[in-house]
């Protein structure tokens, strides 16, 4: 059954969790901002700069190290820590997200 | 957030940070700007990696779409971290208890802290472990210098550099060693 064999190969190549290969959520904001600038006809990055960003994105997405480290770090002990931040109210959503992601005590 | 907020009002960034960190007794201290995002477990992993590698002053690397001042702090693919002589004062900084004893309170050299890296460079020469965590990537959304006078900041940096006989900021951007992913037996 060639079709089945092909599918299993694809699954192997994608690794145990193919969901890992999706674009990280943190990339979405800057990409949408760039798309909006293009849509509105605002000055957009030069082709050279776009190429540079595309190259960086490709390197980032192809690199398995961050996923491996995050997986390994789950087993490492968490030292006591505290977040210190000065925030402008216009950015309070990002700080709120950071605090809820980590669950660490904070001084703001 | 109201539970954690202890004050409000205008002020220079480092002065305000000195006020916030004055009476804290926490193991690791994460000093962060308000316009940074991580992957879901990114910041916790950064603290753990810094602790695991014994770094005193660590900084997650800038991701592919992050706005950074120097390309030196941008991620290098395939490696876990770099031990360096230079760590930028923002947007995120992880201070170990040793670093807190050495670098706090922050010297108020500029409104936004430009030039403080020169002091840390000197501390690194005396044994403080500085590093960039390449495997942990942050996205800095704010445009660099958008909310302050960049020319004044550059002047402060130049003054700090000349006070230590350093010709350029790039002279400080030295990599001492590289921690590969294999060195931490990652699967």
């Amino acid at each position: 059954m060639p079709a089945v064999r092909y599918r299993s190969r694809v699954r192997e190549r994608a690794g145990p969790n193919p969901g890992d290969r999706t674009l990280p959520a943190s990339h979405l904001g800057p990409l949408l901002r760039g798309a909006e600038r293009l849509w509105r006809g605002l000055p957009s990055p030069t082709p050279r700069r776009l190429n540079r960003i595309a190259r960086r994105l490709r390197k980032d997405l192809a690199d398995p190290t961050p996923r491996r480290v995050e997986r390994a770090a789950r087993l490492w002990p968490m030292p006591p820590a505290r977040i210190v931040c000065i925030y402008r109210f216009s950015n309070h959503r990002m700080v709120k997200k950071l605090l809820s992601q980590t669950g660490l005590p904070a001084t703001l | 957030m109201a539970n954690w907020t202890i004050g409000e009002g205008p002020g220079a960034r480092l002065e305000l940070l000195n006020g916030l960190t004055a009476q804290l007794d926490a193991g690791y201290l994460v000093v962060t700007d308000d316009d940074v995002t991580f992957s879901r477990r990114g910041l916790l992993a950064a603290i753990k990696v810094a602790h695991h590698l014994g770094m005193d002053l660590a900084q997650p690397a800038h991701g592919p779409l992050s706005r950074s001042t120097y390309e030196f702090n941008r991620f290098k693919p395939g490696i876990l971290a770099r031990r360096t002589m230079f760590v930028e004062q923002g947007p995120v900084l992880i201070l170990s208890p040793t670093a807190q004893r050495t670098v706090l309170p922050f010297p108020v050299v500029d409104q936004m802290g430009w030039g403080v890296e020169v002091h840390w460079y000197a501390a690194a020469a005396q044994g403080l472990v500085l590093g960039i965590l390449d495997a942990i990537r942050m996205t800095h959304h704010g445009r660099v210098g958008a909310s302050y006078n960049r020319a004044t900041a550059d002047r402060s940096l130049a003054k700090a550099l000349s006070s230590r006989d350093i010709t350029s900021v790039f002279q400080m951007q030295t990599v001492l060693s590289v921690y590969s992913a294999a060195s931490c037996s990652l699967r």
Side-chain angles (χ1 to χ4, degrees):
Chain A
M1 294 276 193
V4 172
R5 246 169 55 202
Y6 173 71
R7 245 187 288 162
S8 72
R9 271 187 203 160
V10 169
R11 209 169 293 142
E12 272 168 26
R13 217 175 293 152
N17 182 7
D20 278 355
R21 291 203 173 249
T22 53
L23 200 67
S26 59
H27 291 179
L28 214 59
L31 281 177
L32 286 176
R33 267 203 309 273
E36 192 193 355
R37 287 185 77 80
L38 282 173
W39 175 254
R40 290 186 179 191
L42 292 168
S44 51
T46 57
R48 186 179 289 183
R49 182 143 185 260
L50 274 178
N51 269 337
R52 204 167 57 215
I53 294 171
R55 206 163 47 235
R56 269 192 227 141
L57 257 178
R58 212 167 50 232
K59 276 184 194 169
D60 179 54
L61 293 176
D63 185 11
T65 323
R67 292 189 291 275
R68 284 185 189 167
V69 170
E70 282 189 20
R71 211 176 303 140
R74 281 185 214 163
L75 304 173
W76 296 348
M78 179 69 197
R82 176 176 279 272
I83 292 176
V84 176
C85 176
I86 300 165
Y87 71 97
R88 288 156 287 193
F89 190 73
S90 54
N91 287 340
H92 80 282
R93 278 191 197 146
M94 268 187 264
V95 181
K96 205 172 169 182
K97 190 178 166 198
L98 199 69
L99 294 181
S100 64
Q101 273 178 346
T102 57
L104 291 174
T107 307
L108 310 172
Chain B
M1 277 172 68
N3 298 340
W4 303 118
T5 306
I6 61 164
E8 57 183 290
R13 180 170 173 265
L14 291 187
E15 270 176 15
L16 292 172
L17 281 175
N18 282 338
L20 288 180
T21 54
Q23 291 157 0
L24 291 182
D25 189 19
Y28 276 74
L29 215 56
V30 182
V31 178
T32 171
D33 282 3
D34 60 355
D35 49 1
V36 186
T37 51
F38 282 88
S39 65
R40 197 153 57 91
R41 295 190 196 89
L43 186 54
L44 286 180
I47 300 166
K48 287 179 179 182
V49 172
H51 180 60
H52 190 78
L53 299 178
M55 283 184 176
D56 294 319
L57 209 54
Q59 177 168 51
H62 283 277
L65 299 170
S66 182
R67 285 170 166 156
S68 73
T69 315
Y70 307 111
E71 277 303 300
F72 182 74
N73 302 49
R74 180 89 56 195
F75 77 98
K76 301 277 179 283
I79 61 175
L80 178 62
R82 282 170 285 160
R83 188 178 166 187
T84 61
M85 293 291 283
F86 176 85
V87 164
E88 210 184 346
Q89 39 90 10
V92 176
L93 203 61
I94 300 169
L95 290 97
S96 74
T98 314
Q100 291 168 46
R101 283 193 293 275
T102 315
V103 306
L104 291 182
F106 296 118
V108 183
V109 287
D110 171 65
Q111 182 86 358
M112 290 304 288
W114 281 59
V116 74
E117 295 94 346
V118 178
H119 298 271
W120 300 344
Y121 175 73
Q126 286 168 7
L128 199 73
V129 182
L130 272 58
I132 295 170
L133 311 171
D134 290 281
I136 312 292
R137 290 159 198 179
M138 60 182 168
T139 305
H140 182 219
H141 297 265
R143 198 176 284 278
V144 177
S147 58
Y148 55 92
N149 188 341
R150 183 68 192 264
T152 317
D154 282 337
R155 271 200 298 276
S156 306
L157 177 62
K159 198 175 156 190
L161 289 171
S162 63
S163 71
R164 301 253 179 190
D165 289 333
I166 301 170
T167 50
S168 138
V169 72
F170 302 109
Q171 189 185 326
M172 298 191 289
Q173 296 180 352
T174 321
V175 177
L176 299 178
S177 59
V178 172
Y179 300 91
S180 69
S183 70
C184 278
S185 61
L186 299 178
R187 276 172 294 147

